Amino acid sequence: MSIRIAALRAGRPTFSRPKVSLPQLSRRAYSTPSSRAAPSYKGLGASAATGFAIALGYTIYHGYNESKQVRCDAAPLVDAVDTYGYPWLPVDAIEKDDPKNPMRIRMANWVKSLQDHIVNTMEKIESASEPNSFSPSSESPKFPRDTWLRKEGGEGSSCVLAGGRVFEKAGVNVSVVHGSLPPRAQKAMLPDHPSLPEPIETVPFFATGLSIVIHPRNPHVPTVHLNYRYFEIEDPQNPNEPKAWWFGGGSDLTPSYLDEDDCIHFHQELKKACDKHDSRYWPDFKKACDKYFFITHRGESRGIGGIFFDDLTTSSPINQPPVSTMKHKTKEDLFEFVKDASSAFLPAYVPIVYKHKDRKWTEEERRWQQLRRGRYVEFNLVYDRGTKFGLHTPGARVESILMSLPETARWEYMSPVGAEGSNTPEEGLQKVLKNPKEWV
Amino acid sequence: MSIRIAALRAGRPTFSRPKVSLPQLSRRAYSTPSSRAAPSYKGLGASAATGFAIALGYTIYHGYNESKQVRCDAAPLVDAVDTYGYPWLPVDAIEKDDPKNPMRIRMANWVKSLQDHIVNTMEKIESASEPNSFSPSSESPKFPRDTWLRKEGGEGSSCVLAGGRVFEKAGVNVSVVHGSLPPRAQKAMLPDHPSLPEPIETVPFFATGLSIVIHPRNPHVPTVHLNYRYFEIEDPQNPNEPKAWWFGGGSDLTPSYLDEDDCIHFHQELKKACDKHDSRYWPDFKKACDKYFFITHRGESRGIGGIFFDDLTTSSPINQPPVSTMKHKTKEDLFEFVKDASSAFLPAYVPIVYKHKDRKWTEEERRWQQLRRGRYVEFNLVYDRGTKFGLHTPGARVESILMSLPETARWEYMSPVGAEGSNTPEEGLQKVLKNPKEWV
């Protein structure tokens, strides 16, 4: 692996990325109905710089072109670099990992390095986009970084961009916390985590995770969510051999407008990461994602899917060898899976951003996006376990927990937008949310 | 009572209310800092019609004038009529009440008539306001009325105005439902309602209520909420003698900008209604309101207070006579209180609307209002018992439950608006929300 990384590093130029001139985002496009139908790169042909832009878009997202028929077969999972030598692979994160360290250190290093890598990539997308009426400054928007300490033990860092050219609100947060877990809290976790020791005394715990929610401005660029975490109950006598531990995580896509190619592409990238480790992961984790991100009172999913898993440990049923003579999975195997699944985030999402970020939109499309964001808020505040757990934890950092909420959202009583029988793109999305699809 | 009503009816003119010309609402006022400081009617002096407008405002809200020093002593609770003969008193509701009917019929009639009365008043405020950029039509906005049937038993009617001249989103909903309550649901209610019979079998229940949430457009006009309800567990052998019953309800104000006179006025009107029936009601119900509408994870109240009560029945501790020889309260006494408290809504709120509805606002003030609405959403989705109960009830009418959510809301990470030490009007509100005040 290290030779490949060295090669990637050598290929990464030190000069700063030249500005790509793209047509400026129009706030109120009031486009004709036909312009709503499908993404088009035709408008780019108008400027001298657009060959460049298409090359950029195409390289990053090869396989996508103007024909809706061609299936996307986007950037390979691990070792691709884009035109500017910017690697999909989180090189620093991989280099930093030292198998001699205990897992809590390795996972904390991993999520911290991945945070940097993803923030850098998002900032590059901002700098590759022109200023617009929402973000008129000629200075490229950056993610301010807030680091914080937890009184009870631990730390975190929140990188939240607001008012970007492409991203209306984007949060990339890491936390590394530890402390004491009373029996009551252990009991509450027991149903989801049967490997926990019997809750009879307060035990020391450690938890670390990376959490991302990105709400783009353009209604044609989907919202995306990622969370990967590692939890352990420590043994004070033997700090490097926890009494219990597990990984959890996943990533899912929430478009306002359905682009089937996007859905297929996003799922394919995640499936690749899953299949590399266990052919049972993909079908199980995709199903769990559709089940988890369900807004029961609306009878619809929050988004179009992805993967979701929790309590992934060597004793999990899904990790038992199909034949008893086969080798059991090790903790190392599971960490490798978590690294690959979380590394799949950028190749799964970024090409979709490049594909749509300069599309024009109408006020009606923005209205629909705002209504969908209202549903996003409903899910997060009413159902999401992490949010609920966080809000009910005294002393929790509310600003970090609620960074997942969109900057703006909308609720209409009996909204006509996307209504049944309207035969609109909005209704098209609704249908899929009510009947989640497999995609790949 | 009926003579007074007849007199009021006689005084109510049949001609329609003439249009009052007020300066048109400006969307982006970008006013100077001084114009933020206090409401002013000076701008009204510019037009010939304004003497009229001031007369209107003054009559409706006598006691308010240009001096902030003068305490408001607004419209009397029951029998005032405004310049156009429009009564505060819900005359139709009072006339319809027939003590010979069982309480469930009387309360259902009451909330239905009060709904009509309040919708009419709100529509009059709309028609007394000029069209503006949000509501440019020359036709005065109306509340469309949706009636619905509940499959399991009962009906309701939702009046929700969207896109008004004054009200961005306003819902006035009535429901009258009945059905079967399994022991599990009864057990869940038991802690709050000790008068419930022992939950051993499925029992028939009846519930009716009026629910109002009004989110005005102008950041200087506060959001208001009202809910009054009656619940009973029926005795199939004796339909007019329920096995258990109670009233619940209250009303509370949620400003984005603090106007102390408004807070005092709103509380005074509710206090008057309470004091008329029992001097213990006001202090108890005001305290309960501050306690209930608290956003725990933010450490702040949703609004500046009002009244809140639940499980109000003749056996409630608060209804026991202070001296054992004194007369016990009857169900009729409690219904009279509920009628007065719910009738206090218009005199408590409408003058505040008239006082501020034509004030200019800045983009920054709108932004703060949107952030406050985000908090409103947080409270309703995370804490509000009615909303949570509704969303988790299969077959509930989600559109009616969530009509309480504002049309638009906003979340910023670590928002600088209203920050501690900023010494702004926004911080002024925050301080009061963190330390609820008595007001009267």
Side-chain angles (χ1 to χ4, degrees):
Chain A
M1 183 70 97
S2 62
I3 294 169
R4 212 163 68 189
I5 292 173
L8 282 168
R9 276 211 179 285
R12 192 155 53 154
T14 51
F15 53 84
S16 67
R17 174 190 286 217
K19 283 272 164 59
V20 179
S21 173
L22 295 173
Q24 190 170 334
L25 215 59
S26 160
R27 185 175 187 177
R28 296 187 183 204
Y30 294 110
S31 60
T32 56
S34 72
S35 77
R36 299 186 64 176
S40 158
Y41 295 102
K42 281 176 192 160
L44 297 176
S47 115
T50 52
F52 204 44
I54 291 171
L56 172 71
Y58 196 78
T59 306
I60 293 179
Y61 204 19
H62 52 76
Y64 258 109
N65 64 20
E66 288 183 65
S67 159
K68 292 272 284 179
Q69 268 61 55
V70 175
R71 274 280 284 279
C72 144
D73 179 19
L77 181 61
V78 181
D79 52 6
V81 290
D82 71 16
T83 321
Y84 305 99
Y86 196 81
W88 290 120
L89 184 71
V91 176
D92 294 323
I94 294 169
E95 280 185 343
K96 237 181 218 160
D97 181 36
D98 181 351
K100 287 197 296 293
N101 281 327
M103 187 57 78
R104 62 180 186 282
I105 308 284
R106 295 174 71 189
M107 182 68 174
N109 282 339
W110 176 261
V111 295
K112 283 178 192 173
S113 305
L114 197 57
Q115 178 189 39
D116 288 339
H117 183 68
I118 289 171
V119 165
N120 287 343
T121 305
M122 296 296 143
E123 287 180 346
K124 278 185 190 278
I125 297 173
E126 286 289 336
S127 72
S129 306
E130 288 292 306
N132 54 44
S133 58
F134 299 104
S135 188
S137 166
S138 62
E139 258 183 68
S140 175
K142 297 279 177 199
F143 283 68
R145 180 185 292 253
D146 265 349
T147 54
W148 46 268
L149 288 175
R150 183 171 171 267
K151 206 173 56 186
E152 298 82 0
E155 42 148 27
S157 119
S158 295
C159 302
V160 184
L161 169 70
R165 297 167 180 175
V166 179
F167 304 117
E168 190 165 340
K169 190 172 171 192
V172 185
N173 291 359
V174 154
S175 65
V176 186
V177 300
H178 55 90
S180 301
L181 208 63
R184 230 183 73 165
Q186 296 170 56
K187 270 179 202 151
M189 299 171 84
L190 208 50
D192 289 324
H193 303 287
S195 67
L196 267 174
E198 201 191 342
I200 42 172
E201 51 178 353
T202 294
V203 292
F205 81 95
F206 170 92
T208 187
L210 169 65
S211 196
I212 302 176
V213 179
I214 294 173
H215 296 286
R217 182 95 60 196
N218 191 317
H220 299 292
V221 185
T223 284
V224 75
H225 164 246
L226 166 148
N227 179 284
Y228 285 93
R229 56 197 178 270
Y230 172 70
F231 185 92
E232 62 183 41
I233 299 286
E234 297 181 74
D235 181 351
Q237 267 70 56
N238 194 354
N240 293 342
E241 283 296 332
K243 283 185 181 169
W245 59 267
W246 59 80
F247 291 99
S251 183
D252 56 282
L253 197 71
T254 307
S256 297
Y257 286 93
L258 197 66
D259 180 319
E260 301 213 342
D261 286 343
D262 291 352
C263 302
I264 292 166
H265 165 71
F266 186 82
H267 279 73
Q268 263 173 343
E269 290 301 313
L270 297 179
K271 183 173 186 296
K272 256 191 273 179
C274 290
D275 287 352
K276 189 174 156 189
H277 294 269
D278 194 318
S279 63
R280 295 168 296 179
Y281 280 178
W282 168 253
D284 199 79
F285 298 168
K286 157 70 178 162
K287 205 173 290 153
C289 181
D290 287 335
K291 190 177 166 199
Y292 181 80
F293 293 101
F294 193 72
I295 308 172
T296 311
H297 63 267
R298 298 281 190 183
E300 66 187 36
S301 286
R302 185 179 77 173
I304 57 87
I307 58 170
F308 177 88
F309 61 93
D310 198 7
D311 196 53
L312 192 71
T313 186
T314 45
S315 60
S316 306
I318 200 168
N319 285 326
Q320 300 322 302
V323 178
S324 62
T325 51
M326 285 169 72
K327 185 178 152 285
H328 265 82
K329 279 212 184 76
T330 63
K331 191 169 186 177
E332 190 68 31
D333 292 334
L334 303 189
F335 184 46
E336 286 299 320
F337 162 66
V338 165
K339 289 199 284 184
D340 279 336
S342 53
S343 297
F345 174 74
L346 288 177
Y349 182 59
V350 174
I352 297 172
V353 175
Y354 273 101
K355 184 177 166 195
H356 300 289
K357 75 184 178 66
D358 299 308
R359 281 179 69 184
K360 294 192 170 178
W361 76 75
T362 65
E363 289 272 293
E364 272 303 286
E365 288 166 345
R366 175 78 176 163
R367 175 181 170 192
W368 174 243
Q369 178 205 46
Q370 296 294 303
L371 289 167
R372 296 313 313 165
R373 292 207 174 148
R375 304 294 172 93
Y376 205 90
V377 171
E378 287 176 31
F379 177 83
N380 286 24
L381 293 182
V382 178
Y383 300 103
D384 186 58
R385 278 186 229 155
T387 306
K388 275 164 65 173
F389 182 80
L391 293 183
H392 291 111
T393 303
R397 192 169 189 268
V398 173
E399 289 292 327
S400 293
I401 297 164
L402 296 185
M403 71 92 193
S404 65
L405 301 181
E407 187 168 279
T408 52
R410 185 177 181 87
W411 287 269
E412 296 177 8
Y413 174 74
M414 303 290 279
S415 180
V417 191
E420 233 178 285
S422 62
N423 214 7
T424 53
E426 291 82 8
E427 191 197 5
L429 177 78
Q430 280 283 28
K431 278 185 182 162
V432 168
L433 297 181
K434 290 200 180 286
N435 300 289
K437 280 179 73 168
E438 288 293 331
W439 301 115
V440 290
Chain B
M1 183 71 98
S2 63
I3 294 169
R4 212 163 69 186
I5 293 174
L8 282 169
R9 277 214 178 283
R12 191 156 52 156
T14 51
F15 53 84
S16 66
R17 175 190 285 220
K19 283 273 167 56
V20 179
S21 171
L22 295 174
Q24 190 170 336
L25 214 57
S26 160
R27 186 176 186 178
R28 296 188 184 203
Y30 294 110
S31 60
T32 55
S34 72
S35 76
R36 298 185 66 178
S40 159
Y41 294 104
K42 281 177 191 156
L44 297 177
S47 116
T50 52
F52 203 45
I54 290 171
L56 171 70
Y58 197 78
T59 307
I60 292 180
Y61 203 19
H62 53 74
Y64 257 110
N65 63 21
E66 288 182 66
S67 160
K68 290 273 283 181
Q69 268 61 53
V70 175
R71 274 279 287 278
C72 144
D73 179 18
L77 180 62
V78 180
D79 50 6
V81 291
D82 71 16
T83 321
Y84 305 99
Y86 196 81
W88 291 120
L89 186 70
V91 176
D92 293 325
I94 294 169
E95 280 185 344
K96 236 180 220 162
D97 181 36
D98 182 351
K100 287 198 295 293
N101 280 329
M103 187 56 77
R104 60 179 186 284
I105 308 283
R106 295 174 71 190
M107 183 67 174
N109 283 339
W110 176 260
V111 296
K112 283 179 193 171
S113 305
L114 198 57
Q115 179 190 39
D116 288 339
H117 184 68
I118 290 171
V119 165
N120 288 343
T121 305
M122 296 296 143
E123 286 181 346
K124 278 187 190 277
I125 297 173
E126 286 289 336
S127 72
S129 306
E130 290 291 308
N132 53 45
S133 57
F134 298 105
S135 187
S137 166
S138 62
E139 257 184 67
S140 175
K142 298 277 178 201
F143 282 69
R145 181 184 292 253
D146 264 351
T147 53
W148 46 267
L149 288 175
R150 182 170 172 271
K151 206 173 55 185
E152 298 81 2
E155 42 148 27
S157 119
S158 295
C159 302
V160 184
L161 169 70
R165 298 168 180 175
V166 179
F167 304 117
E168 191 164 338
K169 190 172 170 191
V172 185
N173 291 0
V174 153
S175 65
V176 186
V177 301
H178 54 90
S180 301
L181 208 62
R184 228 183 75 163
Q186 296 170 58
K187 272 179 202 151
M189 299 170 83
L190 208 49
D192 289 324
H193 304 286
S195 67
L196 267 174
E198 201 190 344
I200 42 175
E201 52 179 354
T202 293
V203 292
F205 81 95
F206 169 91
T208 186
L210 169 65
S211 196
I212 301 176
V213 178
I214 294 174
H215 295 287
R217 182 94 60 193
N218 191 317
H220 298 291
V221 185
T223 284
V224 75
H225 164 246
L226 167 148
N227 179 282
Y228 285 93
R229 55 197 180 272
Y230 172 70
F231 185 93
E232 62 182 42
I233 298 287
E234 296 181 74
D235 180 352
Q237 267 70 55
N238 193 353
N240 292 344
E241 283 296 332
K243 283 187 182 167
W245 59 267
W246 60 79
F247 291 99
S251 182
D252 56 280
L253 197 70
T254 307
S256 297
Y257 286 93
L258 197 67
D259 180 319
E260 300 213 342
D261 286 343
D262 291 353
C263 302
I264 293 166
H265 166 72
F266 187 82
H267 280 71
Q268 264 172 344
E269 291 301 313
L270 297 179
K271 183 174 187 296
K272 258 191 271 179
C274 290
D275 288 352
K276 190 174 158 191
H277 294 270
D278 195 317
S279 62
R280 295 168 296 180
Y281 281 178
W282 168 252
D284 200 79
F285 298 167
K286 156 69 178 164
K287 205 172 290 152
C289 181
D290 287 335
K291 190 176 166 200
Y292 181 80
F293 293 101
F294 193 72
I295 308 171
T296 311
H297 62 268
R298 298 282 190 182
E300 65 187 37
S301 285
R302 186 178 77 174
I304 58 87
I307 58 172
F308 177 88
F309 60 93
D310 198 8
D311 196 53
L312 193 71
T313 185
T314 45
S315 60
S316 306
I318 201 168
N319 285 327
Q320 301 322 302
V323 179
S324 62
T325 51
M326 285 169 73
K327 183 177 154 284
H328 265 81
K329 282 211 183 77
T330 63
K331 192 169 187 175
E332 190 68 30
D333 292 334
L334 303 189
F335 184 46
E336 285 301 319
F337 162 66
V338 165
K339 288 200 284 186
D340 280 336
S342 53
S343 297
F345 174 75
L346 289 177
Y349 183 59
V350 174
I352 296 172
V353 176
Y354 273 102
K355 185 177 167 196
H356 300 289
K357 76 182 177 65
D358 300 308
R359 281 179 70 183
K360 294 191 169 177
W361 76 74
T362 65
E363 288 273 293
E364 272 304 284
E365 288 165 346
R366 176 79 175 163
R367 176 180 170 192
W368 174 243
Q369 179 204 46
Q370 296 293 303
L371 289 167
R372 296 313 314 166
R373 291 204 175 151
R375 305 293 172 92
Y376 206 90
V377 171
E378 287 176 29
F379 178 83
N380 286 23
L381 293 181
V382 178
Y383 300 103
D384 186 59
R385 280 187 228 154
T387 306
K388 275 163 65 173
F389 182 80
L391 293 183
H392 292 111
T393 303
R397 191 170 191 268
V398 173
E399 289 293 328
S400 293
I401 297 164
L402 295 185
M403 73 90 193
S404 66
L405 300 182
E407 187 168 280
T408 51
R410 183 176 182 88
W411 286 269
E412 297 178 9
Y413 174 74
M414 302 290 277
S415 179
V417 191
E420 233 177 286
S422 63
N423 214 7
T424 53
E426 292 81 6
E427 192 198 3
L429 177 79
Q430 280 283 29
K431 279 185 182 164
V432 168
L433 297 180
K434 291 200 180 283
N435 299 289
K437 279 179 75 169
E438 288 294 331
W439 301 115
V440 290

